[in-house]
Amino acid sequence: MRILVLGAGGREHALLKAMRGAQSGESHELHAAPGNAGIAQLATCHELSVTDAKAVVELAESLAPDLVVIGPEAPLVAGVSDALRAAGVAVFGPSAEAAKIEGSKAFAKDVMRAAGVATARAQRIEPAAGSSAQGPGDGADVAARVDRVLDAFGPHFVVKDDGLAGGKGVVVTDSRAQAADHARAVLAAGNPVLVEEFLAGPEVSLFCLVDGEEVVPLIPAQDHKRAFDGDHGPNTGGMGAYSPLPWLPEGAVERIVAEVCRPVARELARRGTPYSGLLYAGLVWGEAGPAVIEFNARFGDPETQNVLALLQTPLAEVLRAVATGHLADLPALEWESGSAVTVVLAAPGYPGAPRKGGAITGIPQDTAQAYVLHSGTARDPEGRLVAAGGRVLSVVGKGADFAAARRAAYEVVERIGLEGSFYRRDIGKAMAQMEQ
């Protein structure tokens, strides 16, 4: 197949590597837009804005791909998948209307209420009318509304930017002052805020392939959002992940599908906006079972890196089956036994103001046990590999157990040079300790 993948991060590199790998069972002609320095080793890269529907359609028409895979959320919310479908292109990714399940947290809450899905109680705060430059009266009114809503929540506060924020628009804190500051900052930028009840329990990321009302789960993962060891520091786009989740009760995945993902898929179909693509459910597994934190409309990063590391079924066939409406005809997915751990190497200053341009050295050759995926890299005018984003590299380790997977990943991370960079040292550590 000729395949075009839209995006420039570790998720897209993982998708392309899975389609180029030995498990693909065939050779595909791979293209990426815009890609990155690592992706360029696997695919022909094309420079364009992934949210420019006209440019994407023109590229697709020139390449005549058998499949387009949309990696990030922004082009989905912008309607790029709709434009591609209108041009007769098979595309993996939901319509703009269905992608509101990620683009608008208030929309997602409404869908969950209608579908009877357990989720956190929430209240939305609208920004002041007019531009984001508020006068004193508007500012005072906003502060009063924030205070009234926070009075109804706590002592743990969850405050979210009700839009796309790359995983960094959420503050989870016991500090009312910090919660209020974040809410006011989001509102001052002209965006609505969602204040939510805090859900207690370990988190689960479950990816599901969805084709209308047909739902097929992948293996679950757990993401580590906080910047530093021990879940300290600010929220990030994700500093690492591990799969599978041995602590989940037997039948948990089937229960999540039955109680969360399938009801949401049916509700979207009932509304006339059937879902086609990857539905990512971020959940808490509490005493009463699963409750939804949020949905994403695409593969998550960095969970994708380790989930796909364990997939044995050829990925391109899976994604095309969804894109062409044949998910129900797909045989059961096959998975490797063992574990996978992904560790993210971040640029200095991430997630606030990451420093770009630093030279990257020491990346070893890929092995069956460990390999490096590029998340934010480029080539400078001298051809050196340099950091071009906050999350720079993802290192994937695989093994018969978590101890082996962690060892494989961290042996590689420790060899990579990037001045001022950092990474968490505890990804999957608790799982390895459980095995002892």
Side-chain angles (χ1 to χ4, degrees), residues 203-227:
E203 294 189 13
V204 180
S205 297
L206 183 66
F207 300 166
C208 287
L209 303 165
V210 179
D211 174 14
E213 296 187 22
E214 189 72 23
V215 178
V216 174
L218 308 188
I219 59 171
Q222 187 177 82
D223 183 14
H224 296 256
K225 284 289 189 186
R226 299 286 190 168

Side-chain angles (χ1 to χ4, degrees), residues 1-5 14-30 66-69 90-92 209 299 308 311-324 326-327 330 333:
M1 280 192 277
R2 182 178 297 129
I3 302 167
L4 169 62
V5 175
L15 289 164
L16 287 157
K17 182 176 178 62
M19 289 187 279
R20 173 56 60 85
Q23 77 269 36
S24 69
E26 56 184 308
S27 178
H28 301 297
E29 179 186 329
L30 302 178
D66 300 290
L67 175 66
V68 174
V69 179
V91 56
F92 182 87
L209 303 165
F299 281 99
L308 294 185
L311 179 66
Q312 289 186 315
T313 303
L315 179 64
E317 296 177 10
V318 172
L319 302 187
R320 182 161 169 79
V322 177
T324 57
H326 293 290
L327 178 59
L330 196 70
L333 301 179

Side-chain angles (χ1 to χ4, degrees), residues 68-287:
V68 174
V69 179
I70 301 180
E73 60 272 25
L76 294 169
V77 173
V80 171
S81 63
D82 302 86
L84 286 165
R85 287 192 179 94
V89 179
V91 56
F92 182 87
S95 66
E97 186 63 25
K100 285 170 64 178
I101 198 79
E102 175 172 5
S104 169
K105 295 172 180 65
F107 174 82
K109 291 289 187 183
D110 184 62
V111 170
M112 284 187 276
R113 277 193 295 270
V117 171
T119 187
R121 177 174 60 91
Q123 191 166 339
R124 179 177 161 116
I125 310 172
E126 298 289 345
S131 70
S132 61
Q134 301 168 357
D138 286 335
D141 176 64
V142 166
R145 285 187 287 132
V146 168
D147 285 339
R148 284 196 298 271
V149 173
L150 291 180
D151 284 343
F153 291 83
H156 308 296
F157 299 95
V158 181
V159 183
K160 298 181 177 182
D161 183 337
D162 188 18
L164 300 180
K168 300 185 288 293
V170 181
V171 164
V172 181
T173 180
D174 294 339
S175 167
R176 182 188 172 104
Q178 185 182 4
D181 287 345
H182 182 66
R184 287 194 289 266
V186 172
L187 292 165
N191 297 325
V193 162
L194 210 66
V195 179
E196 287 191 352
E197 170 192 16
F198 176 78
L199 295 174
E203 294 189 13
V204 180
S205 297
L206 183 66
F207 300 166
C208 287
L209 303 165
V210 179
D211 174 14
E213 296 187 22
E214 189 72 23
V215 178
V216 174
L218 308 188
I219 59 171
Q222 187 177 82
D223 183 14
H224 296 256
K225 284 289 189 186
R226 299 286 190 168
F228 308 126
D229 286 9
D231 289 329
H232 296 295
N235 260 17
T236 71
M239 292 298 294
Y242 67 86
S243 291
L245 306 186
W247 49 265
L248 269 181
E250 185 177 353
V253 169
E254 293 78 8
R255 185 174 170 186
I256 293 169
V257 171
E259 297 182 13
V260 174
C261 300
R262 189 166 287 121
V264 164
R266 286 173 176 163
E267 174 61 18
L268 289 170
R270 187 192 68 78
R271 295 180 181 212
T273 56
Y275 200 95
S276 173
L278 194 288
L279 181 65
Y280 167 169
L283 314 113
V284 161
W285 191 273
E287 292 182 359

